[in-house]
Amino acid sequence: AGVEKFKESGADYIIAIGGGSAMDCAKAVAIIINNPEFSDVRSLEGVADTKNKCVPIIAVATTAGTAAEVTINYVITDAQKNRKFVCVDPHDMPIVAIVDPGMMMTMSKELTAATGMDALTHAIEGFTTKAAWEMTDMFHLKAIELIAKYLRKAVENDKEAKEKMALASYLAGMGFSNVGLGIVHSMAHPLGAFYGTPHGVANAIILPTVMEYNAEYTGEKFREIAKAFGIKHTRKMTPEEYRKAAVGAVRQLAHDVDIPENLKGIMDIKDLDFIAESALNDVCTGGNPRDTNLEEIKELYKKLEEKYQNKYLIPEAKKCKIGGYIPCTYEPNPDDTTFSQYESNINDMNLVLCYFDLKNKELFKISDANNSESVYWGITARSFKEAENGRFFCPSQVVWAR
């Protein structure tokens, strides 16, 4: 229908205004107009051998997440087969990309969170994909740093934060468009096609679990991710510590912007075979740093469908005024033999965090150790006063408790 409307209008170019879906649709229409042998959009799946550049597109982004305005990718939903498929074609690039944060100020909190986590997924997957290299790493690390710093504030409609998120989305797009993505996207696409799950929400739920799955195949990349999230002393950490720190920081960000923590109520386990096979066959799968197979993807979906993806993060937490972060309780980890958080509370808005030394059976208040160094989960860190807004990072979670 879009192709016919364009021809009837006598237009010279297409103006695509919207989020990823609107711009992706424009790309498909523009490609088919100048490459009529691909009139069936399904024939464009993967890397199609188109000969001609698409009709000129001016892309105006209204969300900060997909970066479709600067990428060679577009995603189409096949409603008949309940699937999404990815098309990769350098001929579909818009000739002009307008990234104006003013166009994004009316996004709801939910949309800001979902699209922001989509941008984070682009940055992390692009940073760790098999094809990643120094130039794209530069884009991706800066995007991760901006998202870690500004997404929480953007969800609260802070103007500066939304501007920074627009930049972060753009940078991530400039990166991953050159090197591809991984199985977070592969696994998210079937959820969107089959259940209508917003793409950014699906990515955000899946991302930490796939990061754990890929961790040993990413070299020191997770150290850089943890550092981009503001985690201190990453150079002193072991690979296990900085990988846990990176995953924990991503999980906490998703939690802070009210992303569901698992696929409970989203995916029906009876559809697992179809969903997993669709994910395995997705074009993004080839870029994953760890080679995978159908059974391993099924296991990842099963893990994500469990009632609580993170058994230590208690979901009844409420937002507090301190720094705008979400306080939560943190249950002692039975697998840890050294330290475990025991209790903390907020008295007159003064945070007191404690940990319990399982070896010596003693309770310590980290916030009382003004200038001394305290070791917690393998991280050497000054007391809470060192961290702006009283934030503290540990390999498993960023935690507030009361």
Side-chain angles (χ1 to χ4, degrees):
V3 173
E4 295 306 317
K5 288 291 183 183
F6 180 88
K7 292 178 178 178
E8 290 172 6
S9 70
D12 297 313
Y13 52 86
I14 295 173
I15 300 176
I17 304 174
S21 296
M23 289 187 281
D24 285 358
C25 180
K27 288 180 178 182
V29 169
I31 281 286
I32 292 171
I33 290 168
N34 282 356
N35 297 273
E37 66 273 24
F38 292 95
S39 58
D40 182 351
V41 71
R42 297 178 186 87
S43 66
L44 292 165
E45 182 174 1
V47 183
D49 186 24
T50 59
K51 306 300 183 184
N52 304 308
K53 290 184 178 180
C54 69
V55 167
I57 300 172
I58 297 174
V60 184
T62 60
T63 65
T66 67
E69 70 277 6
V70 294
T71 68
I72 64 173
N73 314 297
Y74 56 101
V75 180
I76 300 297
T77 300
D78 184 345
Q80 292 180 345
K81 296 184 178 180
N82 286 322
R83 61 186 289 268
K84 284 186 177 183
F85 59 88
V86 180
C87 307
V88 183
D89 189 346
H91 288 150
D92 69 31
M93 286 280 289
I95 60 169
V96 177
I98 298 175
V99 183
D100 180 0
M103 298 289 288
M104 306 170 188
M105 292 299 169
T106 57
M107 284 196 298
S108 66
K109 290 184 176 182
E110 294 79 12
L111 184 58
T112 301
T115 55
M117 291 301 296
D118 186 22
L120 180 64
T121 307
H122 291 156
I124 290 177
E125 286 210 290
F127 184 54
T128 56
T129 189
K130 289 175 180 175
W133 64 294
E134 286 83 354
M135 187 194 77
T136 57
D137 287 355
M138 172 182 67
F139 288 121
H140 292 136
L141 280 174
K142 188 60 180 180
I144 295 168
E145 178 186 327
L146 289 170
I147 295 166
K149 184 175 182 180
Y150 290 105
L151 180 55
R152 293 176 179 89
K153 294 179 182 178
V155 169
E156 300 302 324
N157 212 34
D158 179 89
K159 182 179 179 181
E160 180 190 12
K162 286 208 166 181
E163 291 175 353
K164 297 296 186 182
M165 285 302 302
L167 174 60
S169 172
Y170 170 80
L171 290 173
M174 291 290 285
F176 87 80
S177 184
N178 285 279
V179 294
L181 296 166
I183 62 170
V184 177
H185 272 75
S186 301
M187 294 176 66
H189 288 150
L191 299 179
F194 208 69
Y195 306 111
T197 309
H199 179 61
V201 172
N203 276 337
I205 295 171
I206 296 168
L207 178 58
T209 296
V210 169
M211 285 177 70
E212 290 176 333
Y213 173 76
N214 287 334
E216 293 184 5
Y217 296 79
T218 57
E220 293 193 3
K221 290 291 184 85
F222 278 32
R223 188 197 301 273
E224 298 304 314
I225 293 172
K227 183 179 179 181
F229 265 87
I231 297 174
K232 305 296 183 182
H233 309 296
T234 55
R235 287 294 162 194
K236 298 180 181 180
M237 293 184 190
T238 65
E240 181 182 3
E241 288 169 345
Y242 64 65
R243 287 166 183 165
K244 284 184 178 180
V247 174
V250 171
R251 274 210 175 104
Q252 190 65 41
L253 178 59
H255 178 78
D256 288 352
V257 296
D258 294 329
I259 296 291
E261 62 187 28
N262 51 57
L263 294 178
K264 203 75 174 178
I266 295 175
M267 188 184 84
D268 191 330
I269 201 68
K270 69 179 177 61
D271 301 321
L272 179 61
D273 289 347
F274 175 80
I275 297 293
E277 187 171 352
S278 296
L280 181 66
N281 293 329
D282 191 279
V283 72
C284 294
T285 300
N288 200 63
R290 176 178 176 175
D291 290 335
T292 191
N293 56 56
L294 184 61
E295 291 307 312
E296 289 181 2
I297 288 179
K298 285 183 179 181
E299 288 304 312
L300 287 170
Y301 275 124
K302 289 177 182 177
K303 184 175 182 180
L304 286 158
E305 211 267 345
E306 292 174 0
K307 185 174 183 181
Y308 293 119
Q309 177 178 321
N310 182 354
K311 64 182 179 180
Y312 301 121
L313 193 61
I314 309 302
E316 291 80 9
K318 306 291 184 181
K319 286 189 175 181
C320 71
K321 296 179 180 179
I322 300 180
Y325 297 104
I326 295 179
C328 63
T329 56
Y330 192 81
E331 295 178 348
N333 182 352
D335 300 323
D336 182 45
T337 58
T338 308
F339 296 112
S340 183
Q341 183 173 328
Y342 181 64
E343 68 173 78
S344 63
N345 51 64
I346 297 174
N347 296 320
D348 300 323
M349 303 313 291
N350 292 317
L351 183 71
V352 177
L353 182 85
C354 306
Y355 67 79
F356 190 65
D357 184 333
L358 298 177
K359 181 178 180 180
N360 298 316
K361 308 298 182 186
E362 293 181 305
L363 183 67
F364 296 93
K365 292 182 180 180
I366 294 178
S367 56
D368 283 350
N370 294 326
N371 295 312
S372 63
E373 300 221 338
S374 301
V375 179
Y376 178 67
W377 285 91
I379 291 182
T380 300
R382 298 281 178 184
S383 67
F384 273 91
K385 293 183 180 180
E386 179 190 23
E388 205 171 348
N389 294 325
R391 293 183 65 196
F392 179 69
F393 293 93
C394 65
S396 294
Q397 288 297 332
V398 183
V399 288
W400 285 107
R402 58 178 180 174

